Amino acid sequence: MNQSKQNKESGLIKQAIVSSLIKLNPLVMMKNPVMFVVEIGTILVLLMMIMPTAFHAEGRFGYNLAVFLILFFTIVFANFAEALAEGRGKAQADSLKKTKKDTTAKKIGKNGTITTVSSDELRKGDIVLVETGDLVPGDGEIIEGLASIDESAITGESAPVIKEAGGDFSSVTGGTKVVSDSIKVRITADPGESFLDKMITLVEGAKRQKTPNEIALNILLVTLTIIFLLVVVTLLPIANYVGVHLELSTLIALLVCLIPTTIGALLSAIGIAGMDRVTRFNVLAMSGKAVEAAGDINTIILDKTGTITFGNRLAAEFVPVTGATQKELTDIAVVTSLFDETPEGRSVLELAKARGFSWDASSYESAEIIPFTAEERMSGLIQEGNHYRKGAVDSIKKFVQQMGGKVPEDLQAKSNEIASQGGTPLAVSYNSNILGLIYLKDTVKPGMRERFDELRKMGIKTIMCTGDNPLTAATIAKEAGVDEFIAEAKPEDKIRAIRKEQEKGKLVAMTGDGTNDAPALAQADVGLAMNSGTIAAKEAANMVDLDSDPTKIIEVVSIGKQLLMTRGSLTTFSIANDIAKYFAIIPAMFTVALPKMEVLNVMGLHSPTTAILSALIFNAIIIPLLIPLAMKGVKYVPMSATKLLSKNILIYGLGGVVVPFIGIKLIDIIVSVFVQ
Amino acid sequence: MDALQIAAVILLLLFIIKPLGSYIYHVFSNEPNKTDKFFAPIEKCIYAICGMKNRAPMTWKKYTISLLLTNIVFVAAGYVILRLQQFLPLNPNGIKNMEPTLSFNTIASFMTNTNLQHYSGETGLSYFSQMTVIMMMMFASAATGIVVAIAFIRGITTKGNTIGNFFEDFIKGHTRLLMPMSIILTLVLVGLKVPQTLDPSITLTTLEGAKQVIAIGPVAALEAIKHLGTNGGGFFGANSAHPFENPTPLTNVIEILSMWCIPASLTYTYGRFAKKQKQGWIVFGAMSILFVAFLALIYFAESNGNPALTAMGLDPSQGSMEGKEVRFGIAQSALFSTVTTAATTGTVNNMHDTLTPLGQITPLSLMMLNTVFGGDGVGLVNMLMYAIIGVFICGLMVGRTPEFLGRKIEPKEMKLIAVALLAHPLLILGPTALAFLTELGKGAISNPGFHGISQVLYEFTSSAANNGSGFEGLGDNTLFWNISTGLVMLLGRYVSIISLLAVAGSLVRKQPIPETIGTFRTDHLLFVGILVGVVLIVGALTFLPVMALGPIAEYLSIR
């Protein structure tokens, strides 16, 4: 396993090396203006080696060769970073493409006849029959039937899922496999536009569009490049005036050291890697912009059921009424639940166990089991003529009264109290006695509170949406630690909440799966749809979670932030590096003509030549050294922006100033062994 | 003693900032206030004459076009007057019409708040020209700069489509700010023996029997607006070193404070508009750190004297007094030079050409950075531009796309900022290199070698930064220098004004994002460091090589 992973990695690297050479084509390089300037410089130095007389560069072959080689590797390293990031996406795309084999489809004609056609020929609106063992030929919606479908090709999740006509679980994806039953599917995508096709293009990064922030940063980098170009070009006549004659290759070295090559080389790799992190997280972002927007989110709107809570009501408390003890109540409650396979029933046993109770189920094996029915609304068992029951309070009341028992006076009050706290009371009876209540509660998933605390530290507000009454909602909201909640929410309320936040200038993220979530998903700045959801929801969203886990929105926000932080940190590092490079090159350039400039050589570099070469070498090798950071992203721990900034400024700002001083000095020590 | 003098002036400034900054806020916030009683009737008259009943707020485009057209009208009128001054009244000294390229240079210079003077006031301008062209433009250009700052601040602190009404701002800048302050300052200066008269020059016979002409004129009035408006163009060629412009250490301090007060107070005004005073103090703090650092450099460089002379056995205890007035001494000269180049006024009370090489770095650097207080209005706008760049680079490090005062910085803003950011080094380094490529440029240098580089560099830096101080020593009243510096001044002024007002126009439309704990704070001490860092790194990286060949090489050669 490890071996194959290593093979894969080395394969990727080999591929990346090849494509980094292909990318040397100036037409391709032009897309990255900073590195394009480096390439022009490299070509100029090459020309100086070939035609020294034309450039008055006689006798400087060795020096020019060294400069040329370092510059060449600078470009190759930059291309390599991009190619490596792209390669990872491609590898993923390839495995997806394997899924996209040509399949045959059983097309149902207008008169009901079935013809076998290639899946490529299917168009929007066609109806196909998919039976056990068939691959679904294209994206579509089930119009008839129910089937269990293996979606592992898309999600990696091997357990089949049930899909059926109508409702929110009617969409099927091309390339998935029907493992039982048969369905009729109306195709909803033309060939080449299916979900799988979109996914392949996305992970391949072929159509990768630069995000607005990337464009803006590029503008700044290009501006700095032009400024430094200007600095270097104007330096020539000015220096000539005082009799300092600068070599062209030295000027090119100065230029390359000054322009932000580090970030210029890594910028697109950072973007691709960021998208890749999202994809590997099994979330499909429709654009890099969506990932960046995730980093900017101010408010997250989450559904209560399924996202914050398990959605099942579980036993949380045993509440005895007058005349019964906690122990009596628990014992009876356990008996009523012994053969109750509902989550509620199981939770009663779990709670009892947690409270230190134990029982012997075998002694009740001969009992008559009373299953839960919608009319009776209670369940339990009859053992040796004894009736053990639990159920809705009204039902149990009636049952006990029929048996001639009395209803305890405090039952109603206690059950009201449970209801008012958002719980559901279940009454427990033994023959004609009511012993008490089981407090059923919607349970918050473990760890949610911590996650919301983290979000709060990032400055993100959470809003919980639920159909529950305000009291229930308030209880869960308090328990989970969300900032706000919307109770008795209708689908329109979600959109209204999103708009309200957006009017205040906030960016909003939400998750959803149903068709009636689609408008809200579209309205939100980041909409994460569940892959299990409807096509309408998936199309409205700008991200799809293949695992259908709505809590992932929180991680997506972190990934977005991490992407932006990585970009900012490396930009800061790159610009801060220039200071040390200046202190290496400026004295070196002028010392030949003006020996007194030597005082500026604060690093004590060996000679002008070694100083320039060392600065250039540092400039080149810092790129591959930073590739892992660009790919992985800088570490992100949720904390306030001010703390985060102080930390990153210290590491990347101050570090960016100090590291090259050390690096250049070390390189100079090595270089001075070979060069005078 | 020196330190005490300097500290006293800085302390006085600190006392001025809050009241003046608040006052400027009230002038331009367009909300009713107490001063309306006095000023509103005057303005009502002006509005009535100009047909400005409605004074509807303008989009940035309309605002900018109004600004440019108004300036063009001033340029045209001023040019005509200079070319015809011989025939116009108030010319008791019989001064001739000004030559075309010099007129162009002079008009460009005064309209752009530069006040680079290729002429000498005593012999080049009539009293009429001094008052109607020079002084009028000193008011107009300062008011232009101030309204640019106000419009920019409105752009980044309000939401809507408009950034105010240019004409209303422009008039209020005169009636409520520059005029009243100038009147008071003129009276103070007259009280301190600065001449204010329309009499012709005084001709005397000296003890030796030679005839001496002593130039006088409406000096005090010009002196007031020259400093308040960060203009800097002197009545006399010797500028504020001349005893009639700046007779005593007391007037020296008053002049320092009067050119420093508006740029410094505008940071407070900005805080008021931003509804968070700390925002303003952060900008002021960053400016002050840079200011103090450069002040320290020039002060110590000048105090230590000229190393070449010290090596010859001269006593350096007096410091380098060459080109300095004895009545001011090192401290008052160093402070004056620092303030005049920080606030890009360009008035001088000592000869910058004879500063020690390390001392020269201060005026040169401050003009190159052009953000340490800066000229009336434009300095603040430039610093806010660097704040936006700082936010853009470092803001990403908190994991959000960058936003300044809650407004997202996107490609459109960066493009416009790129134009402004590029213009400044381009206008300094481009023409400097060009000057060294031609005999026309090189020929003007009076002191070849490294110092020659400083001379040429200083001339273009001063023009591009709209400072206007001269290194002098450069034979600059020639066609080449008149035209080249004229163009540099115009581009240096208007390219950045237009592009930065466009930035304001773009930001004003954006819905501000409310601040949370996850927001990058620009009102935090950390941001002072970021701002100083960004200004220094961008500035140093751009200008260090040429500085190394100019002042630094000169210093190393005489060490």
Side-chain angles (χ1 to χ4, degrees), chain B residues 118-138:
Chain B
H118 284 179
Y119 64 91
S120 201
E122 303 90 322
T123 52
L125 291 175
S126 69
Y127 290 169
F128 187 76
S129 299
Q130 288 274 23
M131 290 193 291
T132 56
V133 179
I134 302 302
M135 279 172 62
M136 172 182 72
M137 284 196 165
M138 280 180 166

Side-chain angles (χ1 to χ4, degrees), chain B residues 306-418:
Chain B
N306 184 333
L309 296 178
T310 312
M312 290 164 75
L314 290 176
D315 173 20
S317 64
Q318 292 276 318
S320 174
M321 281 303 286
E322 183 187 356
K324 293 187 182 63
E325 295 292 308
V326 179
R327 66 183 186 281
F328 302 136
I330 298 285
Q332 292 268 346
S333 299
L335 183 62
F336 200 96
S337 291
T338 311
V339 175
T340 192
T341 46
T344 70
T345 307
T347 170
V348 288
N349 79 347
N350 66 86
M351 185 80 159
H352 285 187
D353 197 26
T354 55
L355 289 173
T356 58
L358 287 183
Q360 291 159 18
I361 293 177
T362 290
L364 269 171
S365 303
L366 286 170
M367 293 188 294
M368 284 164 174
L369 301 178
N370 203 13
T371 53
V372 184
F373 299 108
D376 277 357
V378 289
L380 177 71
V381 176
N382 279 337
M383 193 51 138
L384 291 176
M385 174 188 84
Y386 275 96
I388 294 176
I389 296 172
V391 162
F392 187 80
I393 296 173
C394 298
L396 281 172
M397 283 197 286
V398 304
R400 294 177 62 87
T401 54
E403 56 209 28
F404 184 64
L405 299 184
R407 284 139 185 97
K408 286 248 172 277
I409 310 301
E410 288 172 303
K412 191 179 172 196
E413 288 78 42
M414 280 318 288
K415 261 182 223 163
L416 293 164
I417 286 178

Side-chain angles (χ1 to χ4, degrees), chain A residues 212-213 215-217 219-220 223-224 226-228 230-231 234-235 237-239 241-242 244 254 258 292 295-298 456-460 502-507 560-562 564-569 571-572 575-576 578-579 582 586 589-590 594 596-597 599-600 636 639-642 644-646 648-649 652, chain B residues 389 392-403 408-412 414-415 417-419 421-422 425-427 429-430 432-434 436-437 442 445 447-450 452-453 457 511-514 516-521 524 526-527 530 537-538 540-546 548-549 552-553 556-559:
Chain A
N213 178 259
I215 295 171
L217 183 54
I219 293 169
L220 182 68
T223 310
L224 290 176
I226 298 174
I227 291 179
F228 293 132
L230 184 78
V231 169
T234 54
L235 193 57
I238 299 175
Y241 173 73
V242 283
V244 177
L254 173 68
L258 290 184
E292 270 178 19
D296 278 349
I297 289 303
N298 300 85
R456 208 164 298 119
K457 272 189 221 155
M458 298 180 200
I460 296 172
Q502 285 174 336
E503 270 161 27
K504 288 186 232 158
K506 296 183 176 179
L507 273 77
K561 284 196 178 297
Q562 199 190 20
L564 294 169
M565 272 171 51
T566 309
R567 194 179 290 154
S569 303
T571 307
T572 307
I575 294 173
D578 277 4
I579 298 176
Y582 248 143
I586 295 266
M589 275 195 330
F590 298 140
L594 313 166
K596 287 195 170 163
M597 283 278 180
V599 275
L600 294 183
Y636 175 60
M639 56 172 98
S640 80
T642 310
L644 203 58
L645 183 67
S646 331
N648 285 333
I649 286 263
Y652 300 99
Chain B
I389 296 172
F392 187 80
I393 296 173
C394 298
L396 281 172
M397 283 197 286
V398 304
R400 294 177 62 87
T401 54
E403 56 209 28
K408 286 248 172 277
I409 310 301
E410 288 172 303
K412 191 179 172 196
M414 280 318 288
K415 261 182 223 163
I417 286 178
V419 172
L421 192 64
L422 257 177
L426 183 72
L427 289 173
L429 295 176
T432 302
L434 210 66
F436 283 109
L437 286 173
K442 270 192 276 190
I445 294 169
N447 196 342
F450 305 123
I453 290 182
L457 184 65
Q511 171 68 48
I513 300 154
T516 68
I517 190 172
T519 311
F520 180 93
R521 297 267 300 270
H524 191 270
L526 197 60
F527 194 62
I530 290 175
I537 289 187
V538 174
L541 293 180
T542 311
F543 296 110
L544 196 67
V546 71
L549 284 176
I552 295 175
L556 293 174
S557 67
I558 61 168
R559 201 162 66 112

Side-chain angles (χ1 to χ4, degrees), chain B residues 409-487:
Chain B
I409 310 301
E410 288 172 303
K412 191 179 172 196
E413 288 78 42
M414 280 318 288
K415 261 182 223 163
L416 293 164
I417 286 178
V419 172
L421 192 64
L422 257 177
H424 194 57
L426 183 72
L427 289 173
I428 293 175
L429 295 176
T432 302
L434 210 66
F436 283 109
L437 286 173
T438 65
E439 207 40 54
L440 286 169
K442 270 192 276 190
I445 294 169
S446 63
N447 196 342
F450 305 123
H451 194 78
I453 290 182
S454 305
Q455 285 186 334
V456 174
L457 184 65
Y458 195 102
E459 184 78 0
F460 284 115
T461 307
S462 175
S463 303
N466 296 138
N467 176 287
S469 66
F471 217 35
E472 306 309 333
L474 196 67
D476 52 17
N477 184 13
T478 64
L479 182 107
F480 173 85
W481 289 102
N482 283 341
I483 301 289
S484 64
T485 54
L487 290 174

Side-chain angles (χ1 to χ4, degrees), chain A residues 207-511:
Chain A
K207 268 206 222 149
R208 203 179 86 87
Q209 280 184 332
K210 283 190 178 141
T211 64
N213 178 259
E214 244 180 308
I215 295 171
L217 183 54
N218 238 322
I219 293 169
L220 182 68
L221 297 182
V222 170
T223 310
L224 290 176
T225 305
I226 298 174
I227 291 179
F228 293 132
L229 196 62
L230 184 78
V231 169
V232 170
V233 170
T234 54
L235 193 57
L236 197 64
I238 299 175
N240 270 342
Y241 173 73
V242 283
V244 177
H245 299 287
L246 298 169
E247 265 183 277
L248 186 57
S249 43
T250 303
L251 283 173
I252 291 171
L254 173 68
L255 176 65
V256 171
C257 280
L258 290 184
I259 62 176
T261 46
T262 314
I263 182 66
L266 297 173
L267 189 58
S268 65
I270 294 169
I272 299 169
M275 284 283 279
D276 193 44
R277 273 201 297 282
V278 178
T279 321
R280 265 187 290 164
F281 199 59
N282 255 356
V283 171
L284 212 58
M286 296 305 165
S287 66
K289 199 177 162 187
V291 181
E292 270 178 19
D296 278 349
I297 289 303
N298 300 85
T299 306
I300 298 184
I301 296 185
L302 294 163
D303 278 327
K304 186 200 79 173
T305 310
T307 307
I308 297 173
T309 65
F310 286 108
N312 301 318
R313 307 189 145 246
L314 305 178
E317 200 73 56
F318 297 113
V319 184
V321 290
T322 328
T325 63
Q326 180 87 26
K327 180 171 177 338
E328 285 165 344
L329 169 63
T330 313
D331 282 337
I332 303 300
V334 166
V335 177
T336 63
S337 306
L338 281 176
F339 307 104
D340 184 352
E341 284 304 311
T342 62
E344 289 89 346
R346 263 179 282 150
S347 75
V348 171
L349 297 185
E350 272 164 32
L351 180 67
K353 204 182 268 171
R355 297 274 162 93
F357 284 82
S358 60
W359 53 86
D360 181 17
S362 61
S363 53
Y364 293 92
E365 254 161 25
S366 58
E368 183 194 338
I369 296 165
I370 317 278
F372 181 85
T373 61
E375 296 95 70
E376 298 279 336
R377 297 207 296 152
M378 56 184 179
S379 63
L381 48 81
I382 307 170
Q383 162 92 341
E384 293 158 359
N386 291 324
H387 290 262
Y388 301 84
R389 288 288 194 286
K390 72 165 188 290
V393 177
D394 288 348
S395 311
I396 296 285
K397 256 195 217 168
K398 222 190 275 170
F399 178 73
V400 169
Q401 278 165 343
Q402 277 170 6
M403 304 245 320
K406 264 174 57 186
V407 176
E409 278 167 19
D410 55 347
L411 181 74
Q412 198 56 45
K414 285 192 171 158
S415 92
N416 284 350
E417 200 190 317
I418 291 173
S420 74
Q421 285 171 19
T424 309
L426 279 188
V428 178
S429 69
Y430 175 61
N431 292 331
S432 62
N433 293 324
I434 296 181
L435 298 157
L437 300 159
I438 301 170
Y439 182 167
L440 291 184
K441 217 163 122 183
D442 197 355
T443 313
V444 173
K445 288 183 182 173
M448 289 313 280
R449 210 190 165 82
E450 290 72 28
R451 285 184 157 189
F452 293 138
D453 284 343
E454 276 186 7
L455 286 174
R456 208 164 298 119
K457 272 189 221 155
M458 298 180 200
I460 296 172
K461 185 170 90 177
T462 40
I463 300 180
M464 180 182 85
C465 254
T466 170
D468 291 343
N469 65 57
L471 260 169
T472 314
T475 313
I476 297 283
K478 202 174 156 206
E479 204 185 318
V482 295
D483 299 309
E484 283 177 24
F485 64 87
I486 305 171
E488 286 162 0
K490 292 179 281 302
E492 314 85 86
D493 291 336
K494 260 191 201 172
I495 301 201
R496 203 170 304 134
I498 294 172
R499 291 221 176 103
K500 208 174 109 198
E501 291 290 302
Q502 285 174 336
E503 270 161 27
K504 288 186 232 158
K506 296 183 176 179
L507 273 77
V508 185
M510 72 160 280
T511 57

Side-chain angles (χ1 to χ4, degrees), chain B residues 114-291:
Chain B
T114 312
N115 296 207
L116 188 74
Q117 291 166 294
H118 284 179
Y119 64 91
S120 201
E122 303 90 322
T123 52
L125 291 175
S126 69
Y127 290 169
F128 187 76
S129 299
Q130 288 274 23
M131 290 193 291
T132 56
V133 179
I134 302 302
M135 279 172 62
M136 172 182 72
M137 284 196 165
M138 280 180 166
F139 278 101
S141 67
T144 302
I146 292 169
V147 303
V148 165
I150 297 297
F152 189 84
I153 292 172
R154 286 194 192 117
I156 57 177
T157 57
T158 57
K159 161 94 178 74
N161 284 314
T162 55
I163 53 173
N165 181 298
F166 168 75
F167 297 109
E168 185 179 3
D169 289 345
F170 189 67
I171 289 169
K172 278 181 161 181
H174 283 91
T175 53
R176 300 196 180 203
L177 192 64
L178 294 172
M179 295 282 206
M181 284 178 82
S182 297
I183 291 171
I184 296 168
L185 191 61
T186 305
L187 294 176
V188 170
L189 288 175
V190 168
L192 293 169
K193 308 275 189 259
V194 176
Q196 175 70 16
T197 173
L198 291 178
D199 291 343
S201 303
I202 301 165
T203 310
L204 310 156
T205 313
T206 65
L207 289 177
E208 294 153 355
K211 255 193 170 177
Q212 185 180 358
V213 180
I214 299 177
I216 49 169
V219 184
L222 184 133
E223 215 55 27
I225 188 61
K226 168 179 124 182
H227 291 105
L228 282 172
T230 64
N231 287 293
F235 194 93
F236 306 107
N239 211 312
S240 278
H242 193 291
F244 285 175
E245 287 203 22
N246 190 4
T248 61
L250 181 59
T251 56
N252 197 51
V253 169
I254 290 173
E255 287 180 6
I256 288 175
L257 286 173
S258 54
M259 63 176 145
W260 201 359
C261 63
I262 293 179
S265 302
L266 277 172
T267 60
Y268 192 88
T269 310
Y270 160 63
R272 282 296 292 262
F273 271 101
K275 301 210 165 52
K276 210 162 196 188
Q277 211 47 61
K278 227 177 151 191
Q279 298 279 9
W281 287 120
I282 293 295
V283 173
F284 177 80
M287 288 175 169
S288 303
I289 290 175
L290 291 165
F291 180 89

